[in-house]
Amino acid sequence: MVKVLADPSLQAKMHQYQIVGRAAPTPKNPVPKIYRMRLFAKNTVLAKSRFWYFMKKLNKAKKSGGELLAVNELFDKGPTKVKNYGIWLRYESRTNTHNMYKEFRDVTINGAVSQMYSEMAGRHRAHPNTIQIINTATLQASECKREHMTEMHDSKLKYPVIRKMPLVSKKLRTTFTAKRPTTFAR
């Protein structure tokens, strides 16, 4: 059996970074204000670029006239438990700028943000560079608003096993058979 590898470009593996930086000290301003941002990007290079994009908007500090003090990747504490995430974002459509709130279920915040970028591309044709994440939060079950999230909070939730193959004894097993297998459980 050949294992089919998925195209990595189809899965936007986002990482969470904390970047600390400031405008470079000048004689007029010897101790500039330090800014800390939590950003999502595919790699550190794009995260730094995003940091300077926001710094230019905040206080006219460009990469050439500024300095980075720290670049750290942030990781989730419990990446084995499914959590509810709320994401507040702003994006530019072809006509206007829109604010939006979305909810996702995932094991990590990076996975939830990756889902968000995929959904925004599919449903709203939003390019990743036009999306600005304003805030992210881990939500309790009672705080969820969207129906596709609340329907997953039922404690008695069960999924049917649809394609359960009956096990054939070893001596009756063959590679090729004359009839199709029955995939439903009897």
Side-chain angles (χ1 to χ4, degrees):
M1 189 168 108
V2 179
K3 189 174 183 181
V4 179
L5 295 172
D7 184 5
S9 66
L10 297 175
Q11 298 146 336
K13 293 274 191 253
M14 302 304 282
H15 299 273
Q16 188 179 13
Y17 295 98
Q18 176 182 283
I19 301 182
V20 182
R22 64 178 183 176
T26 58
K28 193 185 282 184
N29 188 7
V31 185
K33 192 174 177 184
I34 296 172
Y35 289 89
R36 179 174 61 96
M37 289 184 203
R38 205 163 46 101
L39 300 164
F40 291 92
K42 286 186 180 179
N43 53 44
T44 51
V45 175
L46 293 174
K48 289 176 194 174
S49 172
R50 206 85 180 122
F51 175 80
W52 290 116
Y53 167 80
F54 287 118
M55 282 292 281
K56 204 188 303 181
K57 285 178 175 278
L58 280 171
N59 60 357
K60 297 178 183 171
K62 295 193 296 186
K63 185 181 177 184
S64 58
E67 58 187 3
L68 290 177
L69 303 175
V71 179
N72 304 319
E73 187 174 349
L74 302 177
F75 298 97
D76 276 337
K77 288 177 183 155
T80 55
K81 187 180 168 214
V82 178
K83 293 174 279 301
N84 308 312
Y85 293 102
I87 301 174
W88 289 261
L89 62 118
R90 175 197 290 137
Y91 81 99
E92 287 176 34
S93 68
R94 291 168 187 161
T95 55
N96 208 346
T97 305
H98 309 279
N99 293 318
M100 198 175 274
Y101 166 74
K102 289 194 162 293
E103 290 178 356
F104 299 95
R105 276 174 71 81
D106 209 293
V107 289
T108 61
I109 187 71
N110 297 345
V113 170
S114 298
Q115 278 185 57
M116 185 270 301
Y117 274 106
S118 301
E119 188 175 306
M120 291 301 291
R123 288 196 177 166
H124 304 283
R125 301 291 186 265
H127 292 280
N129 57 345
T130 65
I131 299 170
Q132 296 177 12
I133 298 172
I134 297 165
N135 189 21
T136 60
T138 306
L139 305 174
Q140 298 298 321
S142 60
E143 296 172 323
C144 293
K145 298 172 186 161
R146 304 294 186 251
E147 192 179 331
H148 69 91
M149 297 287 286
T150 54
E151 68 186 6
M152 303 301 277
H153 297 152
D154 185 12
S155 60
K156 297 184 182 83
L157 192 64
K158 290 183 180 178
Y159 296 100
V161 181
I162 297 166
R163 294 182 63 94
K164 191 172 187 180
M165 295 288 285
L167 194 65
V168 181
S169 63
K170 194 81 169 169
K171 65 179 182 181
L172 296 174
R173 262 182 230 170
T174 58
T175 308
F176 303 104
T177 56
K179 63 184 175 81
R180 290 176 183 271
T182 54
T183 58
F184 56 89
R186 289 183 188 156

